[in-house]
Amino acid sequence: MKSPLSPLPPHKIRDLPRDFLMAKLADYFRAPLPDGVVEVDYSLWRCAETGLEFCAPPLTGNGAFYEWISGFASYYPGFRWEYGEVARMIKAENISAPDFKVLDVGCGKGDFLRALDFLPAQKKYALDLNEPAIRVCREQGFNAFCGTVETAIAVGFLRPGEFPVVTSFHCLEHVSQPVEFVRELLRATAPGGKLFLSTPYSPMSFESGWFDVLNHPPHHMARWNLAAYRKLAEILGVKMQHFAPRNRPLKQALQLFSLQNHGPN
């Protein structure tokens, strides 16, 4: 077993059997699971150097899994705290420059790009592996491509170093090879440009008393923290800044109480 971020031997935290995960998912969504949604037994490990928690095997959720969970209205948040923060920082850039444009990788139906109401649609680029979501982005006038950064560059949809700003919200925790994933994002980022990433910060406050199956495999391959982000930046040779919403202890306590007593629904 090897950490994605360190050569040091990781520590095993717990086993996550397939039947356990399926039961937790059924309880979370209050719905039975189709066959084949969870394929294997997993285990959870902790990087000895950074505390990053990651799963084994590194088998991401399959098409049946994502088709099932994406069918629930609660799965897509519509708006996230970081959308507003990143939009504010982008607005401070030289957005009137002729070559200024934004690439959002893992764009979904374009929720973040819609928040950039100060940019024309032709300066917004959307990438996702979900073809129906990409069709929605095209309908909004965005330059949209179904595939990865690597394939988009290979077919000429993108050029290396083309974008002063690249964003990827809640994607890093889903991939099995995070260093390679971010390296591809940086390949699309212009020299001196900015890459914005966001993930849940793990363990989340309520996880001390409630198991969040969506922050575990097959949904999330890794559980990120600040030390892991710093190590990722060191490996890739980039400068890093950390942004987070203000801590609200009372709200967090009430959220944990609600989850313990009523569940997510």
Side-chain angles (χ1 to χ4, degrees), residues 210 251-265:
W210 182 78
K251 181 180 179 181
Q252 291 175 344
L254 290 171
Q255 184 181 26
L256 174 57
F257 177 82
S258 177
L259 288 168
Q260 288 175 328
N261 286 275
H262 308 294
N265 298 302

Side-chain angles (χ1 to χ4, degrees), residues 21-34 37-38 65-76 210 212-215 218-219 262-265:
L21 293 170
M22 290 180 66
K24 289 293 186 181
L25 284 164
D27 183 58
Y28 188 101
F29 289 107
R30 298 287 194 268
L33 276 70
V37 167
V38 181
F65 174 76
Y66 279 103
E67 182 179 355
W68 181 70
I69 63 171
S70 64
F72 296 96
S74 61
Y75 183 65
Y76 290 107
W210 182 78
D212 185 2
V213 68
L214 290 188
N215 199 25
H219 190 235
H262 308 294
N265 298 302

Side-chain angles (χ1 to χ4, degrees), residues 60-128:
T60 59
N62 58 24
F65 174 76
Y66 279 103
E67 182 179 355
W68 181 70
I69 63 171
S70 64
F72 296 96
S74 61
Y75 183 65
Y76 290 107
F79 192 81
R80 299 183 185 274
W81 169 86
E82 55 264 42
Y83 291 177
E85 289 297 299
V86 173
R88 177 181 60 80
M89 288 185 274
I90 290 176
K91 200 170 184 178
E93 299 287 317
N94 184 19
I95 60 175
S96 62
D99 60 348
F100 187 87
K101 57 188 77 168
V102 175
L103 169 65
D104 187 27
V105 177
C107 59
K109 296 179 180 178
D111 293 331
F112 169 68
L113 292 176
R114 280 198 304 277
L116 304 181
D117 53 7
F118 49 86
L119 285 180
Q122 64 268 25
K123 290 196 171 189
K124 302 175 185 180
Y125 285 70
L127 255 67
D128 203 283

Side-chain angles (χ1 to χ4, degrees), residues 138-156:
R138 290 189 183 119
E139 290 167 2
Q140 297 172 84
F142 307 150
N143 301 286
F145 179 84
C146 186
T148 64
V149 170
E150 183 180 13
T151 55
I153 290 176
V155 301

